[in-house]
């Protein structure tokens, strides 16, 4: 279950997790989705300009508001904008103050522990009414390998890092399996509210309804996770979802067009967006050796061998088994566009993938792109001999190897 909590406790997508991407949406979009299922939240409205922010704040009829930068990353409150503004979450006391903060946030990049040094652009802010919590809880719905189905994970210790809670006090985590077809029944939901320590019948009922409806969203919308941290019991005796993170399964895009229409590609690495259009599995990293490999397992093994020889991969790139010379050329364009790449290592094991297709793509790309970066190639398997002959006749300076260790070592040396 700790593995499931780690998954629920972060929206960061690590390269080592493999090829699959899961759609994430902004907080204001999550709030709208929660509200559409009758799940209560503080009143929240998004704005995309300082003037709109002023008008939205004025429309609240209250001076006690919070302004939040809408960036797809955790740790916004402790982040810093590239223009010097500290923090992506601020209390505001007037429409003028809201406008001032918006003018500094919008168009600037927010740098958090999850964005990397480059940060992510802030194109919208969200204004929310301030609701004072008497107690904060943690709630998540996700798929759990251990139980082989969906679970609701909850804790009375919300508003903090759930992984730390799980590590320090495993008993503070309550895991409730949910029958996939039937969903969460009212008796089970009320029992969970009881275990979490809600004080009276009204708050127990409100919490139970939230649990039930969270699973409805999870199932209806093909979510991979829903995380509410915190869910709060307010000082005026109500239960509200104060913050929400959603992830959705990319395989369901064909039937969740309304959800996937919310995708914000400005929050994604541009090279990864381009790769996705070409059906390439690509994740940008920070090293200097560009990698072009077929198969996720071989791609990760290749990155490990490069690291073993003192190098750092610049990317995870799996061209898959159905690559053509055209997709190989596109992969090359992605690699050479990265100024950090100092050498390119092509490691292909030809099974379904034909080595001669890779060779053709490599030769064409090298000529068309006037490649100056050292190119190291290891081709084994289907049409291997033909591929090697094509490379030999091309007249290009390509370092060809049969042994993985030798090829990786050469790629690292040339990158240095």
């Amino acid at each position: 279950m700790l593995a499931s909590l780690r998954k629920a406790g972060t929206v960061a997508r690590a390269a080592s997790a493999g090829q699959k991407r899961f759609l994430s949406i902004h907080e204001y979009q999550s709030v709208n989705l929660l509200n559409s299922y009758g799940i209560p939240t503080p009143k929240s409205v998004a704005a995309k300009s300082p003037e709109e922010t002023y008008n939205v704040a004025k429309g609240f009829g209250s001076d006690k508001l919070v302004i939040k930068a809408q960036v797809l990353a955790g740790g916004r409150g402790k982040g810093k904008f590239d223009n010097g503004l500290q923090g992506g979450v601020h209390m505001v006391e007037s429409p003028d103050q809201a406008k001032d903060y918006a003018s500094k946030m919008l168009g600037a990049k927010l740098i958090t522990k999850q964005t990397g040094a480059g940060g992510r652009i802030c194109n919208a802010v969200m204004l929310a009414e301030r609701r004072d919590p008497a107690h904060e809880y943690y709630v998540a719905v996700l798929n759990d390998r251990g139980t082989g189905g969906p679970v609701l994970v909850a804790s009375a210790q919300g508003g903090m890092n759930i992984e730390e809670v799980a590590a320090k006090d495993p008993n503070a985590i309550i895991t409730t399996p949910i029958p996939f077809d039937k969903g969460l029944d009212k008796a089970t939901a009320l029992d969970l509210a009881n275990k979490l320590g809600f004080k009276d019948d009204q708050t127990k009922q409100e919490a139970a309804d939230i649990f039930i409806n969270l699973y409805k969203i999870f199932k209806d919308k093909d979510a991979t996770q829903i995380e509410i941290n915190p869910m709060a019991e307010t000082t005026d005796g109500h239960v509200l979802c104060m913050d929400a993170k959603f992830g959705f399964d990319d395989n369901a895009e064909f039937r969740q067009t309304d959800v996937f229409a919310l995708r914000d590609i400005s929050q994604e690495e541009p090279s990864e967006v381009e790769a996705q259009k070409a059906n390439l599995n690509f994740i940008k990293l920070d090293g200097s050796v560009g990698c072009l490999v077929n198969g996720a397992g071989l791609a990760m093994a290749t990155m490990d061998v490069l690291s073993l020889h003192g190098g750092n991969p610049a990317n995870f790139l799996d061209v898959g088994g159905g690559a053509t010379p055209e997709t190989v050329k596109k992969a090359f364009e992605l690699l050479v566009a990265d100024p950090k790449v100092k050498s390119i290592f092509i490691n292909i094991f030809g099974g379904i993938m034909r080595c001669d297709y890779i060779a053709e793509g490599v030769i064409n790309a090298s000529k068309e792109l006037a490649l100056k970066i050292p190119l190291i190639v290891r081709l084994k398997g289907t049409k291997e001999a033909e591929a090697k002959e094509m490379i030999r006749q091309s007249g290009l300076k390509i370092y060809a190897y049969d042994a993985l260790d030798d090829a990786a070592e050469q790629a690292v040396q040339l990158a240095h």
Side-chain angles (χ1 to χ4, degrees):
M1 180 48 60
L2 184 57
S4 293
L5 287 171
R6 287 194 180 114
K7 183 179 177 185
T10 180
V11 293
R13 288 178 272 183
S16 59
Q19 309 169 57
K20 200 61 195 160
R21 284 284 198 269
F22 296 111
L23 173 72
S24 294
I25 60 176
H26 286 291
E27 184 183 4
Y28 73 91
Q29 297 166 329
S30 299
V31 167
N32 292 338
L33 185 53
L34 290 171
N35 293 162
S36 72
Y37 275 75
I39 296 174
T41 64
K43 181 184 174 183
S44 305
V45 183
K48 297 184 178 180
S49 71
E51 293 73 23
E52 186 182 3
T53 304
Y54 176 87
N55 292 329
V56 167
K58 203 170 180 182
F60 267 86
S62 169
D63 290 335
K64 292 186 176 181
L65 301 176
V66 181
I67 187 168
K68 298 183 176 184
Q70 297 300 284
V71 170
L72 289 180
R76 289 173 296 164
K78 295 180 180 179
K80 184 178 181 180
F81 284 91
D82 58 359
N83 59 13
L85 177 64
Q86 188 69 44
V89 179
H90 291 273
M91 304 288 189
V92 294
E93 308 292 339
S94 70
D96 285 319
Q97 191 180 17
K99 181 180 179 181
D100 182 55
Y101 273 122
S103 68
K104 295 172 183 173
M105 292 178 174
L106 293 168
K109 288 185 177 180
L110 180 62
I111 302 157
T112 79
K113 60 184 180 182
Q114 289 187 2
T115 64
R120 285 187 185 156
I121 192 78
C122 176
N123 292 320
V125 296
M126 186 183 82
L127 285 162
E129 62 178 345
R130 279 190 241 166
R131 298 290 293 270
D132 298 324
H135 191 89
E136 294 183 332
Y137 304 84
Y138 174 91
V139 181
V141 183
L142 58 144
N143 288 312
D144 177 53
R145 289 181 184 272
T147 60
V151 294
L152 193 148
V153 180
S155 175
Q157 298 181 38
M160 59 186 80
N161 189 322
I162 195 63
E163 293 176 49
E164 292 178 9
V165 173
K168 290 177 183 175
D169 184 9
N171 294 326
I173 308 298
I174 303 171
T175 303
T176 306
I178 303 172
F180 178 79
D181 289 329
K182 295 180 181 177
L184 198 64
D185 62 72
K186 191 64 177 275
T188 304
L190 282 169
D191 182 55
L192 177 58
N194 234 357
K195 290 176 181 176
L196 289 171
F198 285 93
K199 294 174 183 175
D200 54 49
D201 286 341
Q202 180 181 320
T203 54
K204 287 175 186 175
Q205 290 285 347
E206 290 182 12
D209 288 340
I210 288 173
F211 301 152
I212 291 167
N213 287 325
L214 283 175
Y215 179 70
K216 286 181 181 176
I217 301 178
F218 184 83
K219 184 181 177 186
D220 290 352
K221 300 297 183 182
D222 289 296
T224 54
Q225 75 165 49
I226 301 174
E227 185 184 38
I228 309 296
N229 191 21
M231 182 176 82
E233 183 177 353
T234 61
T235 52
D236 59 356
H238 291 287
V239 182
L240 301 175
C241 292
M242 308 295 275
D243 195 1
K245 294 187 181 80
F246 281 79
F248 300 92
D249 189 346
D250 283 6
N251 289 314
E253 182 175 359
F254 71 97
R255 66 181 177 204
Q256 300 293 351
T257 53
D258 58 332
V259 171
F260 279 80
L262 303 175
R263 181 185 178 192
D264 181 1
I265 61 171
S266 74
Q267 300 296 297
E268 301 176 34
E269 171 61 44
S271 57
E272 294 180 16
V273 175
E274 281 300 306
Q276 196 175 43
K277 291 176 184 176
N279 237 7
L280 295 166
N281 297 308
F282 179 87
I283 298 173
K284 189 174 181 180
L285 302 173
D286 294 327
S288 58
V289 181
C291 301
L292 192 158
V293 189
N294 68 316
L298 184 59
M300 287 189 277
T302 301
M303 293 193 292
D304 286 343
V305 175
L306 288 171
S307 298
L308 188 67
H309 287 284
N312 289 305
N315 61 276
F316 171 102
L317 174 52
D318 167 20
V319 297
T324 64
E326 290 73 27
T327 54
V328 173
K329 179 175 179 288
K330 182 63 182 179
F332 254 79
E333 289 173 355
L334 292 169
L335 296 180
V336 300
D338 184 353
K340 293 180 183 176
V341 171
K342 304 302 180 187
S343 71
I344 294 175
F345 181 23
I346 297 173
N347 187 17
I348 298 296
F349 183 79
I352 298 172
M353 182 71 255
R354 289 172 47 168
C355 291
D356 59 335
Y357 278 6
I358 295 290
E360 183 182 343
V362 167
I363 292 165
N364 291 342
S366 297
K367 290 178 178 178
E368 289 181 35
L369 300 173
L371 190 68
K372 305 293 184 187
I373 300 169
L375 184 60
I376 302 88
V377 178
R378 176 181 176 265
L379 300 171
K380 302 294 289 183
T382 306
K383 298 283 185 178
E384 175 186 339
E386 291 87 340
K388 288 178 176 176
E389 181 61 20
M390 289 169 68
I391 290 173
R392 188 186 68 77
Q393 291 184 7
S394 71
L396 296 170
K397 188 174 182 181
I398 296 174
Y399 300 85
Y401 286 86
D402 286 330
L404 175 56
D405 263 339
D406 293 342
E409 186 175 10
Q410 179 73 3
V412 171
Q413 287 178 0
L414 290 170
H416 288 164

